[in-house]
């Protein structure tokens, strides 16, 4: 067989495999940070987007967080029950319900960001400033590329 036979290639040399595995490890680490605060990843995604971008619908939050509308709906309901977000009918279109972050939600989000900043510092502590800047730039490039492809796929499915 060819030299790149699946059994002869070390997966730790393949970028896609490394990114995939890193996603699991980062997700597990994120869950450890969020669990004591009573948050899920979906809830963090909602708080993050609302804090940075302002009010939006559950459907928009779901798209931006890369989860289903149903999962985001459940996350928003729990956040609303805890007073971290409020939901209001959009004035221009009564069929759309927008979600807004409350002061309590913003305060919790700030706390989470601080904890994640500490976790990130531990994760990346062996990179000097130049390496970190290059690493972040490469991640941003790959992310933008995947976002573009995902949007194109959505357009083709419509």
């Amino acid at each position: 067989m060819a030299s790149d036979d699946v059994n002869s290639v070390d997966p730790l040399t393949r970028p896609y495999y490394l990114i995939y595995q890193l996603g699991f490890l980062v997700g597990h680490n994120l869950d450890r940070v969020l669990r004591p605060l009573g948050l899920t990843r979906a809830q963090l995604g909602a708080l993050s987007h609302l804090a940075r971008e302002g009010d939006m619908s559950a459907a928009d939050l779901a798209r931006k967080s890369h989860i289903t509308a149903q999962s985001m709906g459940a996350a928003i309901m729990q956040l609303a029950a805890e007073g971290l977000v409020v939901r209001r009918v959009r004035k221009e279109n009564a069929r759309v319900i927008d979600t807004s972050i409350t002061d309590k939600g913003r305060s919790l989000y700030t706390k989470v960001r601080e904890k994640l900043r500490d976790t990130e510092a531990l994760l990346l502590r062996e990179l000097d400033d130049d390496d970190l800047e290059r690493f972040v730039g490469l991640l941003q490039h790959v992310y933008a590329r995947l976002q573009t492809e995902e949007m194109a796929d959505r357009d083709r499915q419509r």
Side-chain angles (χ1 to χ4, degrees):
M1 289 198 116
S3 63
D4 64 348
D5 178 300
V6 73
N7 295 322
S8 68
V9 175
D10 180 358
L12 293 177
T13 65
R14 305 304 311 156
Y16 200 86
Y17 178 83
L18 287 168
I19 292 168
Y20 179 76
Q21 291 300 314
L22 187 59
F24 278 113
L25 293 172
V26 168
H28 179 71
N29 202 335
L30 181 59
D31 290 340
R32 278 195 307 216
V33 170
L34 296 177
R35 196 172 299 115
L37 299 171
L39 288 175
T40 65
R41 290 185 221 176
Q43 291 168 334
L44 174 62
L47 291 176
S48 173
H49 289 293
L50 293 170
R52 290 181 290 115
E53 301 170 48
D55 302 357
M56 65 183 76
S57 70
D60 288 339
L61 284 168
R63 269 190 295 280
K64 289 175 179 282
S65 298
H66 308 286
I67 62 174
T68 66
Q70 293 82 0
S71 293
M72 183 54 73
I76 290 171
M77 295 298 284
Q78 187 63 39
L79 291 170
E82 294 175 22
L84 301 171
V85 300
V86 293
R87 303 182 77 207
R88 293 185 191 95
V89 173
R90 188 177 290 176
K91 291 176 187 169
E92 307 83 41
N93 184 348
R95 293 181 300 167
V96 178
I97 299 175
D98 281 327
T99 303
S100 305
I101 192 168
T102 63
D103 289 341
K104 182 178 176 183
R106 193 173 302 281
S107 175
L108 180 59
Y109 176 64
T110 299
K111 187 177 190 178
V112 170
R113 280 186 35 213
E114 290 167 2
K115 289 185 175 293
L116 290 177
R117 200 172 293 127
D118 293 343
T119 301
E120 183 179 88
L122 285 172
L123 175 70
L124 302 172
R125 70 180 174 258
E126 300 198 16
L127 298 180
D128 64 28
D129 290 344
D130 290 338
D131 286 342
L132 182 58
E133 185 176 336
R134 181 163 165 68
F135 181 62
V136 170
L138 290 169
L139 289 174
Q140 288 170 335
H141 177 76
V142 171
Y143 181 78
R145 175 66 183 226
L146 287 174
Q147 286 283 87
T148 301
E149 289 177 15
E150 183 175 309
M151 294 303 283
D153 284 346
R154 280 190 198 148
D155 289 343
R156 281 192 291 271
Q157 291 173 1
R158 288 183 188 165

